[in-house]
Every structure is written in structure tokens, then in C-alpha cells.
């Protein structure tokens, strides 16, 4: 079983990203589970969402304490949240940032990777909404999921032009991350 | 009897727990829905409102009300008039219904409600425990607790079948853990409309409130009559013990899905340590049991699906040969220092030949996460009980001592 924690701010679509990841993983013939960190969400406040992916049906209901992967939507969170907390040594931490991974001195043995998801989103989608872009980056960095499954899930949730542009941005982030592995 | 579950992935979709429940309610073809939104039940009523607005629930009225008290009161009239009725609530909303809960069951109205279990105030908590429904255990409602969203959505159809049976005519609460199940996305088979049309026929009430043929419901009962009403309600609850099993079996035959009837068992056959629990924590416990079994710890799970009626015989038969039983409760009876499942399990054994040590833990209050380590720790303690006997009979666990 792989466990993923997504950090973001209220309004950035962290919960949606966790859900889309679960939908995409199931389409990849895995079992999946997505849930929010049941807080009282406010726009701009730090939030978390979680996804589990497994070959077998998932029964575990506790929160995620030792994730295999962490996705950070907003690098300003690093000042207020221990985003690397509990991350496994052989895990991967993906940060949305214009800077390279060496910029981030975090207390973790896990591999840190960065992707300028905001730029990709602005260039392709036209809005700084990075949640779907980061799912593409996740697919490229981890190989846990087919990018096509993520694009299908996004197009189903956001039909029409929005879904198409998001899919394009997902593919772009996927390719960039795959190339840097 | 344990059954093989056929998970047909081609029929499954990944949806939110609340959506799965709302969809199941729709498939049960209700005639009147009345509910007041309250976290974390809100998504269920939002989804039902959407179905109504889209014309997807034919022959149904959605009554908007100003409180939970009115929501259930509206259903008293509607159910007496012969409508299949549905509501959903949680926590303070359920407590506000308290008086009406007795009216529904006393009038033998087969209303079904989803309760999205949440802690009660004060202090305010929107998070999960079982204090809300446990506090209503004496109101004459059948209470079923679900482990995952597949079970709770399927339980909706089962509850109508049980409640509307003329031998029963008692209302049902189907209980799902707030947020943990209401807000989780996971694969589920949405309750099939075609199968449900066969499994759950139209509600045909024996007695109907009708101006053309007047009857009195819930009338004055003086001391010459009142006791018999209570006695008959209890008789119906006793018959429900078998009905819940029968309906679960019939559901399996038609849908191929089974979660137990009154109870379910997991690796109990040779178990020395048996953990008893209700709701979503059951899934976490199963994972821990598998892990401990690999280390030769003979642990098993007794899942309680039906808390009302209380499955005393079924429990007794499962734990009879265990060496120690651990009961987990997400509630407390203040002043007794025990959770309800613990107290009632002990009580049903007292005058029997079953003599097994039982210890109780109160945990998961107000959304405190129940971690794998917690389950492992209580099983460790149970192992000690086998050697030394009971040291502490009932206690809180996962307390943050630094806050006390």
C-alpha cells in the first residue's frame, strides 16, 4: 500500500486532488481511498488531504502518519507546516516551486523534487490552479499511476475546455518530472 | 455464517460516502424526505436535494424545515399517512429529535434515518464518536452500525425491509462514522435500482392516517393500557433479531454482498483474544489482527452491526471459548466509567455459564484518531490479562496526560 499526503491552503483544491488521485488509481485497477484532514477549512489556511493506493481492498481508517509521498502545493507552507513529517526515507517530496530541490533544506532523507506548477498552470490553463498539474508531476516522479488515468479523472470531473486544458498541463508536468528522474 | 463477498470491480465507482448513501436512499424510492442540514451529514441532504431538483426521485416530497425536531415531526405525520420516509442527522440534531424519536417508535412508524455519528457538545466538536446514537439507545429505534460506505449504503435498503416488515414495524437508524465514512472517497457499488425494486417492494402499511377512514395514532394510554404498548415494542425488537439476520441473508442472495447480520466475525475460530467494536474502526482492527496473527498472536474480531436489538445470544456464542475479550467504545456513560457496549456485553453474560474476562477501553472521542498502535497496545494488555487477570476493568486510552 502507498500513502500520499497533500499539503495546500484552503481553496487550492487539495481535497479535490486527493479524490482525483483515488479515482485515477481505481481506473488503474488498484483499490483506493481518499479523505480530508477533517478540519474546519477556511480559505488560505493550511489544509491536508490523503490518498491510499493498494492492490487489495483498503480497510485501514486511521490518518496517515508515515506517507510514502508528499505533495506541497504552496512552498510558503514550509514555514508553517512540517511537510516532511513522517515521510519515509525512500519516499519522495514534491514541491511546487520555481526553485530547484537544493533550495529546500528539510529534515528528511527522502528525495525532494520541485516543479514549477504555477508557471505550467498559468501558461496552459490560464489560472494559477496547480492541484491537477501536481498530480501529473506525481505520476511522472513516482510511476505509481498512469498519467492517462489522471487526465481521464480530471476530464470527467471538469468536462469541456477546462478539463482539456488541465489534461494538457498534467501531461506537461508529467513529462518534466519523468525527465528529471 | 461467513459468506464470500464478490467484489465486482467493473460495477464499482469511486464516490464520496455521503453520495453513496444519498444514491441508496434514492434507490429505495422514498415518498417523503425531511431533514435539516448539519455537519457532517450535510453532503447527504445536499445530494438528495440535487436528485429532487433533477427529478430523479419520482413520487417524493422534500419538506424543508427549520429544525431537526420539525424534520422528524413532519415524518411522523407522513409515515402515519403511509409514506416511506427518510431523514438524516447527527449529534445535536439527533439530540434535538429525542422526544420525537419516542413518538416514531411508539406509533410503530417504520422511518429510516442515516445518522452520521458525531460527538455531542459541549465542548463543540464536529468530529466522530458514537455518543449521539448511544444516548438514544432506549428510544425504540433499531440501531445498525456500518464499517465502510458499501455497507452503510446497502444497509439503507436492509433497514427499510426490516422496519417495514409487519412483524417488526420499528424505525431504524443506520449509523456511519462522521467524516471517516461520510467524507471518504472509495470504490463502491452504488445500490442497484433494478435489484432494489425486487428486494424492497412498495411500503404497504396496515393502518393508515386517512381523513376518509379516521383512525387515532399515538393516543392517550391510561395505566390500563400503557404497559402493553411497551411490552409489544419489546416483542417486536426481539423478532427483529431474526429479521436482521434473514434480511442480510436475502440481501446476499440477491446482491452478492454480505457484512454479517447482527454481528460479523473475523478470524475468531481459534481466537484467544477477541476484540469487540462497532463502526469504521473495525477495518483498522482487521489490519492489526492480520499483522499480529503473523506473529502468532491468536486475536480475532467480533463486529457488532446491531446494537439495538442487542445480539446477546450471538455475542455469547462467539466469545464463549475466548480467553479474554476487549471491548472498544467510542462513548462513555458518565458516572459509570464504562462504554455502552462494554456494560451491555458484561450484563448479558452474568447469568450464564460463559465466564470470560472482559476489559473495556473508551477511545476515539470527538474525532481522536484511532491508530494502529492503539489497537496493538490494547491487545498487548489483553495478553497480560491472560497471564495475570484483570488489572483495570474499564479505562480511557490515548489520553493526553500533559493536558490534564
Amino acid at each position: 500500500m502507498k500513502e500520499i499526503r497533500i499539503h495546500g491552503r484552503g481553496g487550492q483544491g487539495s481535497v479535490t486532488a486527493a479524490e482525483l488521485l483515488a479515482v485515477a488509481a481505481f481506473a488503474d485497477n488498484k483499490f483506493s481511498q481518499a479523505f480530508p484532514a477533517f478540519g474546519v477549512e477556511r480559505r488560505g489556511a493550511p489544509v491536508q488531504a490523503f490518498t491510499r493506493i493498494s492492490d487489495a481492498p483498503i480497510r485501514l481508517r486511521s490518518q496517515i502518519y508515515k506517507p510514502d509521498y508528499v505533495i506541497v502545493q504552496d512552498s510558503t507552507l514550509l514555514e508553517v507546516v512540517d511537510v516532511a513529517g513522517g515521510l519515509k526515507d525512500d519516499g519522495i517530496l514534491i514541491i511546487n516551486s520555481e526553485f530547484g530541490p537544493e533550495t529546500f533544506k528539510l529534515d528528511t532523507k527522502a528525495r525532494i523534487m520541485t516543479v514549477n506548477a504555477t508557471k505550467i498552470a498559468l501558461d496552459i490553463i490560464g489560472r494559477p490552479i496547480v492541484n491537477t498539474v501536481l498530480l501529473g508531476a506525481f505520476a511522472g516522479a513516482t510511476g505509481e499511476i498512469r498519467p492517462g488515468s489522471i487526465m481521464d479523472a480530471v476530464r470527467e470531473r471538469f468536462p469541456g475546455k477546462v478539463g482539456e486544458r488541465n489534461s494538457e498541463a498534467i501531461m506537461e508536468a508529467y513529462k518534466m518530472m519523468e525527465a528529471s528522474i | 455464517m461467513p459468506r464470500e463477498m464478490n467484489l465486482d470491480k467493473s460495477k464499482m465507482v469511486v464516490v464520496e460516502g455521503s453520495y453513496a448513501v444519498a444514491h441508496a436512499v434514492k434507490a429505495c424510492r422514498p415518498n417523503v424526505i425531511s431533514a435539516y442540514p448539519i455537519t457532517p451529514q450535510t453532503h447527504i441532504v445536499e445530494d438528495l436535494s440535487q436528485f429532487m431538483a433533477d427529478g430523479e426521485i419520482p413520487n417524493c416530497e422534500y419538506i424543508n424545515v427549520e429544525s431537526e425536531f420539525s424534520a422528524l415531526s413532519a415524518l411522523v405525520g407522513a409515515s402515519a399517512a403511509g409514506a416511506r420516509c427518510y431523514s438524516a442527522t447527527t449529534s445535536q440534531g439527533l439530540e434535538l429529535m429525542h422526544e420525537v424519536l419516542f413518538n416514531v417508535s411508539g406509533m410503530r412508524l417504520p422511518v429510516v434515518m442515516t445518522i452520521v455519528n458525531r460527538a455531542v457538545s459541549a465542548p463543540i466538536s464536529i468530529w466522530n464518536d458514537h455518543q449521539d446514537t448511544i444516548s438514544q439507545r432506549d428510544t425504540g429505534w433499531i440501531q445498525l452500525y456500518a464499517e465502510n460506505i458499501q455497507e452503510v449504503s446497502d444497509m439503507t435498503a436492509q433497514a427499510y425491509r426490516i422496519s417495514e416488515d409487519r412483524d417488526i414495524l420499528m424505525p431504524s437508524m443506520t449509523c456511519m462514522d462522521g467524516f471517516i465514512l461520510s467524507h471518504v472517497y472509495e470504490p463502491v457499488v452504488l445500490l442497484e435500482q433494478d435489484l432494489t425494486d425486487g428486494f424492497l417492494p412498495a411500503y404497504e402499511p396496515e393502518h393508515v392516517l386517512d381523513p376518509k377512514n379516521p383512525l387515532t395514532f399515538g393516543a392517550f394510554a391510561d395505566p390500563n393500557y400503557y404497559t402493553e404498548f411497551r411490552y409489544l415494542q419489546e416483542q417486536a425488537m426481539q423478532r427483529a433479531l431474526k429479521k436482521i439476520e434473514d434480511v442480510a441473508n436475502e440481501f446476499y442472495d440477491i446482491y452478492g454482498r454480505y457484512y454479517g447480520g447482527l454481528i460479523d466475525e473475523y478470524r475468531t475460530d481459534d481466537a484467544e483474544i477477541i476484540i469487540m467494536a462497532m463502526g469504521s474502526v473495525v477495518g483498522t482492527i482487521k489490519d492489526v489482527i492480520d499483522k499480529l496473527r503473523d506473529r502468532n498472536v491468536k486475536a480475532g474480531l467480533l463486529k457488532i452491526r446491531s446494537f439495538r436489538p442487542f445480539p446477546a445470544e450471538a455475542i455469547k456464542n462467539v466469545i464463549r471459548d475466548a480467553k479474554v475479550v476487549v471491548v472498544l467504545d467510542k462513548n462513555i456513560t458518565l458516572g459509570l466509567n464504562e462504554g455502552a457496549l462494554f456494560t451491555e456485553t458484561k450484563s448479558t453474560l452474568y447469568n450464564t455459564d460463559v465466564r470470560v474476562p472482559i476489559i473495556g477501553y473508551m477511545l476515539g472521542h470527538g474525532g481522536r484518531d484511532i491508530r494502529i498502535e492503539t489497537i496493538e497496545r490494547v491487545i498487548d494488555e489483553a495478553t497480560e490479562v491472560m497471564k495475570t487477570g484483570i488489572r483495570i476493568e474499564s479505562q480511557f486510552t490515548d489520553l493526553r496526560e500533559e493536558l490534564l
Side-chain angles (χ1 to χ4, degrees):
Chain A
M1 184 159 68
K2 298 293 182 189
E3 297 184 313
I4 301 120
R5 186 172 71 214
I6 302 174
H7 293 274
R9 291 184 180 277
Q12 286 186 323
S14 302
V15 176
T16 304
E19 292 164 5
L20 289 168
L21 196 52
V23 172
F26 186 70
D28 269 2
N29 213 24
K30 304 269 179 66
F31 285 91
S32 57
Q33 179 195 65
F35 55 99
F38 322 119
V40 186
E41 281 82 7
R42 305 174 311 285
R43 190 162 280 267
V47 298
Q48 294 177 30
F50 307 95
T51 305
R52 290 191 168 101
I53 300 174
S54 173
D55 292 326
I58 299 167
R59 304 180 297 196
L60 185 62
R61 296 289 171 189
S62 66
Q63 290 169 33
I64 289 172
Y65 298 94
K66 291 172 187 161
D68 298 275
Y69 306 110
V70 170
I71 299 172
V72 182
Q73 299 213 61
D74 182 338
S75 61
T76 65
L77 285 168
L78 270 61
E79 296 157 27
V80 283
V81 182
D82 179 16
V83 297
L87 177 59
K88 286 180 183 161
D89 290 349
D90 59 351
I92 298 176
L93 175 67
I94 302 167
I95 304 172
N96 170 27
S97 170
E98 59 192 296
F99 303 111
E102 67 287 348
T103 320
F104 300 96
K105 308 291 177 222
L106 293 169
D107 184 19
T108 178
K109 293 194 174 103
R111 180 170 181 186
I112 299 172
M113 298 179 80
T114 59
V115 59
N116 195 345
T118 306
K119 182 174 188 313
I120 295 172
L122 284 171
D123 287 351
I124 300 175
I125 306 169
R127 293 177 63 201
I129 304 294
V130 297
N131 59 345
T132 54
V133 184
L134 284 163
L135 293 182
F138 172 81
T142 68
E144 293 288 351
I145 198 155
R146 292 190 312 111
S149 301
I150 294 175
M151 291 191 283
D152 287 346
V154 169
R155 278 192 289 249
E156 196 188 325
R157 177 75 76 98
F158 307 105
K161 221 173 214 175
V162 177
E164 289 308 323
R165 283 185 183 155
N166 271 275
S167 296
E168 207 184 311
I170 287 164
M171 204 55 196
E172 177 70 16
Y174 172 79
K175 283 180 187 159
M176 282 174 67
M177 286 307 246
E178 208 192 17
S180 62
I181 279 288
Chain B
M1 178 173 60
R3 312 269 197 144
E4 282 298 314
M5 273 268 268
N6 304 310
L7 280 176
D8 183 355
K9 285 184 93 172
S10 68
K11 285 175 70 183
M12 296 178 117
V13 287
V14 177
V15 296
E16 193 188 48
S18 294
Y19 180 85
V21 168
H23 186 279
V25 171
K26 179 176 78 162
C28 290
R29 309 178 312 280
N31 304 119
V32 176
I33 300 169
S34 187
Y36 191 79
I38 174 171
T39 301
Q41 155 264 36
T42 323
H43 291 183
I44 295 175
V45 292
E46 284 174 357
D47 289 335
L48 284 171
S49 302
Q50 189 68 53
F51 289 145
M52 287 297 297
D54 294 345
E56 288 186 41
I57 316 181
N59 200 21
C60 182
E61 285 279 337
Y62 192 114
I63 306 176
N64 284 308
V65 286
E66 85 295 348
S67 74
E68 288 84 359
F69 188 95
S70 295
L72 194 56
S73 296
L75 296 187
V76 169
S79 184
R84 177 172 287 158
C85 293
Y86 177 80
S87 190
T89 191
T90 175
S91 183
Q92 308 307 111
L94 180 61
E95 308 317 321
L96 187 58
M97 287 178 175
H98 181 66
E99 175 186 333
V100 194
L101 293 174
F102 281 106
N103 280 322
V104 175
S105 66
M107 289 192 221
R108 309 295 296 273
L109 301 173
V111 174
V112 170
M113 275 205 291
T114 304
I115 309 298
V116 187
N117 286 110
R118 169 187 146 180
V120 290
S121 304
I124 291 184
S125 166
I126 59 168
W127 292 274
N128 166 249
D129 67 30
H130 292 161
Q131 197 68 51
D132 53 357
T133 43
I134 293 298
S135 300
Q136 304 298 350
R137 63 182 147 166
D138 295 336
T139 55
W141 285 61
I142 290 165
Q143 285 193 357
L144 306 174
Y145 290 78
E147 172 182 351
N148 53 42
I149 70 174
Q150 186 73 67
E151 180 172 12
V152 72
S153 62
D154 290 351
M155 201 178 252
T156 313
Q158 295 184 359
Y160 277 112
R161 271 292 304 277
I162 297 159
S163 287
E164 291 176 359
D165 191 290
R166 288 193 182 178
D167 286 338
I168 311 296
L169 291 177
M170 296 291 270
S172 291
M173 296 179 190
T174 56
C175 305
M176 68 192 294
D177 285 332
F179 288 112
I180 301 169
L181 295 186
S182 60
H183 286 56
V184 73
Y185 271 66
E186 63 186 20
V188 62
V189 180
L190 295 173
L191 190 68
E192 300 91 332
Q193 186 68 63
D194 52 342
L195 299 181
T196 306
D197 288 344
F199 175 76
L200 181 65
Y203 172 41
E204 289 185 15
E206 207 168 349
H207 307 289
V208 179
L209 199 58
D210 178 2
K212 292 190 197 104
N213 187 15
L215 289 172
T216 301
F217 279 69
F220 204 68
D222 71 23
N224 289 311
Y225 296 100
Y226 187 89
T227 305
E228 284 66 30
F229 278 91
R230 280 288 173 271
Y231 175 81
L232 290 170
Q233 272 181 282
E234 179 53 31
Q235 295 292 104
M237 274 290 193
Q238 292 305 316
R239 286 193 294 273
L241 287 167
K242 180 166 188 301
K243 183 58 66 180
I244 291 166
E245 293 277 359
D246 290 348
V247 166
N249 289 333
E250 197 183 320
F251 190 93
Y252 175 76
D253 291 340
I254 292 174
Y255 296 81
R257 300 193 291 271
Y258 184 78
Y259 321 91
L262 295 164
I263 59 160
D264 201 15
E265 297 173 59
Y266 186 73
R267 306 190 78 164
T268 50
D269 274 352
D270 61 341
E272 295 177 337
I273 299 167
I274 291 181
I275 303 190
M276 291 174 61
M278 310 196 291
S280 64
V281 72
V282 155
T284 304
I285 296 170
K286 285 177 179 173
D287 271 13
V288 175
I289 284 172
D290 284 354
K291 201 168 142 191
L292 293 177
R293 283 270 174 178
D294 292 341
R295 288 189 230 141
N296 272 330
V297 178
K298 287 188 178 174
L301 165 78
L302 169 53
K303 159 176 146 180
I304 305 299
R305 285 186 89 230
S306 173
F307 184 70
R308 283 292 181 272
F310 194 75
E313 278 301 309
I315 291 172
K316 206 165 65 182
N317 289 334
V318 174
I319 66 176
R320 175 179 293 278
D321 298 321
K323 291 192 175 152
V324 59
V325 173
V326 184
V327 184
L328 305 184
D329 272 289
K330 286 185 177 182
N331 68 85
I332 178 171
T333 298
L334 293 168
L336 186 63
N337 193 36
E338 291 184 359
L341 184 59
F342 177 61
T343 303
E344 299 196 1
T345 300
K346 283 195 302 174
S347 140
T348 58
L349 297 178
Y350 187 78
N351 286 322
T352 72
D353 61 346
V354 180
R355 282 284 166 262
V356 49
I358 307 182
I359 55 173
Y361 286 94
M362 294 166 287
L363 77 179
H365 296 256
R368 176 70 49 87
D369 195 29
I370 301 175
R371 302 175 62 160
I372 287 171
E373 293 81 359
T374 300
I375 306 297
E376 287 174 339
R377 201 171 59 246
V378 301
I379 292 177
D380 282 349
E381 179 61 26
T383 312
E384 286 301 307
V385 169
M386 283 198 286
K387 293 180 207 150
T388 64
I390 294 174
R391 291 182 297 194
I392 301 173
E393 194 189 8
S394 177
Q395 60 186 310
F396 278 85
T397 187
D398 290 340
L399 277 178
R400 291 183 60 193
E401 299 287 348
E402 73 275 19
L403 294 181
L404 301 174

